[in-house]
Amino acid sequence: MSTLHGSVCFEQARRVAVFGGTHNEMSGVTLVNLWVKNGAEIQRKGLEARPFITNPRAVEKCTRYVDTDLNRAFSPENLSAPGGDDLPYEVQRAQEINRLFGPKGSPEAYDVIFDLHNTTSNMGCTLILENSKDHFNLQMMNYIKKAVAPACCLVLLNEHPLLKYSTSRSVAKHPVGLEVGPQPQGVLRSIFESMRIILKHALDFIELFNEGVEFPACTVEVFRVLERVDYPRDTNGNIIAMVHPNLQDCDWEPLTPGDPMFQTFDGKTIYYQGPGTVYPTFINEAAYYEKQQAFVTTRREALVASTIRKSIN
Amino acid sequence: MSTLHGSVCFEQARRVAVFGGTHNEMSGVTLVNLWVKNGAEIQRKGLEARPFITNPRAVEKCTRYVDTDLNRAFSPENLSAPGGDDLPYEVQRAQEINRLFGPKGSPEAYDVIFDLHNTTSNMGCTLILENSKDHFNLQMMNYIKKAVAPACCLVLLNEHPLLKYSTSRSVAKHPVGLEVGPQPQGVLRSIFESMRIILKHALDFIELFNEGVEFPACTVEVFRVLERVDYPRDTNGNIIAMVHPNLQDCDWEPLTPGDPMFQTFDGKTIYYQGPGTVYPTFINEAAYYEKQQAFVTTRREALVASTIRKSIN
């Protein structure tokens, strides 16, 4: 990355990976398996796009993970942990993925990794951004949002100091998460076509960038992760309430102080009492019960993406 | 069971069980756990209503089963199998449940067992009937349908010679399945209140019956299981299509020859080509991928329920 005449310059993005099966979420697993057989759909001039199943054992067993969540396993400690075969399966796998697509943080790392996920939440199509200063990704997301309009594709920004986690895609220089929902675990619904279309536009963007197209400065609306909200619990830690029907399926809609948030099993309503309006998402996601998360709150922000162009060298 | 002046007479139903957790489906697990702590809500005069978690290990592990599907394990072979601790966990558990609530087919068996399930399919509230000649259950289902109106509660009849399976509830004289959906696996949504209301009416019916109320003959609309339809597959057995968007979430709606049924991953539509209109249900249920079932077809029928009253003795 460098700057030239006010533009931010990046190397061409020649090595791209598409991850499916980081969890056993069927849209990504199905698409990646299709592309492993026949990759024509994801090939673009001047770049290699490699489809890859990241957690094949979990996919085979129809479970989120075998020993530990792969999508939390790419910490420096894990990636450098000695132990070989004695390590948890997903830590071994993280090390292997880091060898194949990284090393994380190095010049040898893949340029872009797309990681394909489904959620049981009613989030529609969501791109996940890990760094508000990643102008390449911001421009890509802006391009995708415009390309799919009038359909909607939102951007979730997670750079929260405590809630950000070490994802599989974080091995790449430009990590891109893609969540599509709602879809129950273990089920394939036709929303996988939306995932396919977003990935098509993403690859088109990279091809254009590599060809020398300059993308002028723009603003991108993102939803920044603020806070994790747990289910109400009793003193033994048992959940005593569910997401209120007025909030269920209302991902991305404003939640204002005084709005219903949970409904206890004996029929009482628990209201949101935060200081101001927030935008909840990942509402009632199945996989987050174990993470003690009923939803996350977010704040809407407009980020400025600088002009970008490829480096001349 | 006997007949008197054209009525079918049954013994009072004094022993009733409410099963949750036959699979790890959260509405039933949550309700049964609540009632184990405080059963006042399900107690009725003149009957014992016993809440019971049938597969605690599967519930603890958040999985459908440990070794084999408990809700297929109540066959005569399993229930009489020697082997003790060497048997699959769910077979051991079936034997234990049969000791506690059966023996299946004997006069000592519980009168009624309600078995609480969730589905990822858009089935709404569905009662499952195992025998079209069970006039006690038919009357109960008629009572429930009227009690919840204008809300809807449908009846699925499964006495198909090949597709009927040996359920946990089949231990009782009058087995009643209750499916509520759509709800992703691992998630609790407020539809569990619908389940609670249906069970309330079911217990009210039993109390009235025990008090001597006669229920006059009536007809009950049921959907009889006709056929299992699998996902289209390639020669290696891999799924090559998903439920067509026009069919997804259209449980109980007519499917007519020529209607779209599946969409292949390369975009082709596969049409329904059966001989006449059917009513599909359990459309795209997560747990039935392993059973090679995309949905079942059903036929609408009106069953006659005879007048019932309690035996005088």
Side-chain angles (χ1 to χ4, degrees):
Chain A
M1 196 178 93
S2 60
T3 56
L4 179 72
H5 307 309
S7 301
V8 182
C9 298
F10 295 94
E11 301 285 316
Q12 289 185 58
R14 296 213 168 275
R15 294 194 305 158
V16 174
V18 183
F19 285 179
T22 290
H23 303 126
N24 179 41
E25 293 161 353
M26 299 270 280
S27 296
V29 172
T30 305
L31 283 172
V32 166
N33 279 332
L34 284 176
W35 294 331
V36 166
K37 277 191 215 147
N38 180 356
E41 182 178 337
I42 56 169
Q43 295 315 320
R44 296 292 184 281
K45 205 171 47 188
L47 66 93
E48 170 217 19
R50 181 169 174 191
F52 189 79
I53 296 285
T54 47
N55 196 338
R57 279 201 206 161
V59 170
E60 193 186 338
K61 294 179 81 169
C62 286
T63 183
R64 185 173 169 91
Y65 53 77
V66 179
D67 292 324
T68 186
D69 192 333
L70 179 63
N71 212 31
R72 306 291 183 277
F74 288 75
S75 62
E77 298 73 22
N78 277 343
L79 295 180
S80 62
D85 291 351
D86 294 335
L87 291 169
Y89 169 68
E90 278 85 2
V91 175
Q92 294 180 49
R93 192 72 186 152
Q95 293 186 352
E96 191 179 348
I97 290 167
N98 193 44
R99 279 192 297 275
L100 290 169
F101 298 96
K104 180 172 174 172
S106 77
E108 293 74 40
Y110 263 51
D111 297 296
V112 183
I113 294 176
F114 297 100
D115 196 15
L116 308 183
H117 290 260
N118 291 120
T119 171
T120 62
S121 305
N122 187 29
M123 289 171 67
C125 293
T126 305
L127 293 159
I128 305 181
L129 180 66
E130 304 199 348
N131 177 354
S132 58
K133 304 277 191 300
D134 184 338
H135 296 276
F136 182 89
N137 269 354
L138 279 168
Q139 285 285 1
M140 186 198 303
M141 292 174 181
N142 182 59
Y143 179 92
I144 293 168
K145 285 165 78 77
K146 287 191 154 51
V148 301
C152 194
C153 183
L154 300 176
V155 177
L156 179 67
L157 168 64
N158 189 355
E159 49 184 16
H160 188 287
L162 299 175
L163 298 177
K164 184 170 176 169
Y165 45 87
S166 45
T167 59
S168 310
R169 58 190 175 266
S170 67
V171 165
K173 290 171 187 144
H174 305 290
V176 181
L178 177 52
E179 280 284 354
V180 181
Q183 182 168 277
Q185 294 178 354
V187 162
L188 184 66
R189 297 178 60 129
S190 59
I191 52 172
F192 109 126
E193 290 294 347
S194 312
M195 183 177 272
R196 199 170 190 167
I197 288 166
I198 286 171
L199 201 70
K200 173 204 131 51
H201 294 305
L203 293 167
D204 289 351
F205 168 86
I206 298 172
E207 186 178 29
L208 290 170
F209 174 81
N210 285 350
E211 284 173 349
V213 172
E214 183 182 273
F215 294 86
C218 62
T219 59
V220 185
E221 184 189 73
V222 304
F223 291 78
R224 180 188 290 273
V225 170
L226 291 183
E227 199 184 4
R228 177 175 63 79
V229 178
D230 189 14
Y231 295 90
R233 293 173 190 271
D234 65 18
T235 49
N236 298 320
N238 299 311
I239 289 176
I240 56 165
M242 59 198 151
V243 169
H244 193 280
N246 289 22
L247 178 59
Q248 177 69 50
D249 296 328
C250 297
D251 300 71
W252 309 118
E253 294 180 22
L255 181 71
T256 301
D259 284 348
M261 186 166 61
F262 294 107
Q263 187 173 52
T264 67
F265 298 148
D266 51 4
K268 294 192 189 72
T269 298
I270 297 174
Y271 298 91
Y272 173 60
Q273 301 191 308
T277 296
V278 291
Y279 296 84
T281 195
F282 277 120
I283 296 171
N284 208 357
E285 157 59 42
Y288 290 167
Y289 278 72
E290 69 172 32
K291 301 187 197 304
Q292 308 197 320
Q293 178 181 307
F295 56 89
V296 288
T297 61
T298 71
R299 180 175 69 209
R300 285 170 84 151
E301 284 183 20
L303 293 184
V304 175
S306 302
T307 301
I308 69 164
R309 54 193 294 184
K310 74 169 170 177
S311 312
I312 301 160
N313 49 14
Chain B
M1 194 177 94
S2 60
T3 55
L4 179 72
H5 308 309
S7 302
V8 183
C9 299
F10 295 93
E11 300 285 316
Q12 290 185 57
R14 297 213 167 276
R15 293 193 308 158
V16 173
V18 184
F19 285 179
T22 290
H23 303 126
N24 179 40
E25 293 161 353
M26 298 271 281
S27 297
V29 172
T30 305
L31 283 173
V32 167
N33 279 332
L34 284 177
W35 293 331
V36 165
K37 277 191 216 148
N38 180 356
E41 182 179 335
I42 56 169
Q43 295 315 320
R44 296 291 184 281
K45 206 171 46 189
L47 66 93
E48 169 217 21
R50 181 168 174 191
F52 189 78
I53 296 286
T54 46
N55 197 337
R57 277 199 207 165
V59 170
E60 192 186 340
K61 295 179 80 169
C62 286
T63 184
R64 185 171 169 92
Y65 52 78
V66 178
D67 293 324
T68 186
D69 192 334
L70 179 63
N71 213 31
R72 306 291 184 277
F74 288 75
S75 63
E77 299 73 21
N78 277 343
L79 295 181
S80 62
D85 291 350
D86 294 336
L87 291 169
Y89 169 68
E90 279 85 2
V91 176
Q92 294 180 49
R93 192 71 186 153
Q95 294 185 352
E96 191 179 346
I97 290 167
N98 193 44
R99 278 193 297 275
L100 290 169
F101 298 95
K104 182 172 172 172
S106 77
E108 292 75 39
Y110 263 53
D111 296 295
V112 183
I113 294 177
F114 298 100
D115 196 15
L116 308 183
H117 289 261
N118 291 119
T119 170
T120 64
S121 305
N122 187 28
M123 289 171 66
C125 292
T126 304
L127 293 159
I128 304 181
L129 179 66
E130 304 199 349
N131 177 354
S132 59
K133 304 278 192 298
D134 183 340
H135 295 276
F136 182 88
N137 270 355
L138 279 168
Q139 285 285 2
M140 187 198 303
M141 291 175 182
N142 182 58
Y143 178 91
I144 293 168
K145 284 165 78 77
K146 287 191 155 51
V148 301
C152 194
C153 182
L154 300 177
V155 177
L156 179 66
L157 168 64
N158 189 355
E159 49 184 16
H160 188 286
L162 299 175
L163 298 177
K164 183 171 176 170
Y165 46 86
S166 46
T167 58
S168 311
R169 57 190 175 266
S170 68
V171 166
K173 291 171 187 147
H174 305 290
V176 181
L178 177 51
E179 281 284 355
V180 181
Q183 182 169 278
Q185 294 177 354
V187 162
L188 184 66
R189 296 178 60 129
S190 59
I191 52 173
F192 109 126
E193 290 294 347
S194 312
M195 183 178 271
R196 198 171 191 166
I197 288 166
I198 286 171
L199 201 71
K200 173 205 133 45
H201 292 306
L203 292 167
D204 289 350
F205 167 86
I206 298 173
E207 186 178 28
L208 289 170
F209 174 82
N210 285 349
E211 284 173 348
V213 172
E214 184 181 274
F215 293 87
C218 62
T219 59
V220 185
E221 183 188 72
V222 304
F223 291 79
R224 180 187 289 273
V225 170
L226 291 183
E227 199 184 3
R228 178 175 61 80
V229 178
D230 190 14
Y231 295 91
R233 293 173 190 271
D234 65 17
T235 49
N236 298 320
N238 299 311
I239 290 176
I240 56 165
M242 59 198 153
V243 169
H244 194 279
N246 289 22
L247 178 58
Q248 177 69 51
D249 297 328
C250 297
D251 301 71
W252 309 118
E253 295 179 22
L255 181 72
T256 302
D259 285 348
M261 185 167 60
F262 294 107
Q263 187 174 53
T264 68
F265 298 147
D266 52 4
K268 295 193 189 72
T269 298
I270 297 174
Y271 299 91
Y272 173 62
Q273 299 191 310
T277 297
V278 290
Y279 296 83
T281 195
F282 277 119
I283 296 171
N284 208 359
E285 157 59 43
Y288 290 167
Y289 278 72
E290 69 172 31
K291 301 187 197 303
Q292 307 196 320
Q293 177 181 306
F295 57 89
V296 289
T297 61
T298 71
R299 179 174 70 209
R300 285 169 82 150
E301 284 184 21
L303 293 185
V304 174
S306 302
T307 301
I308 68 163
R309 54 193 295 184
K310 72 170 171 177
S311 311
I312 300 160
N313 51 14

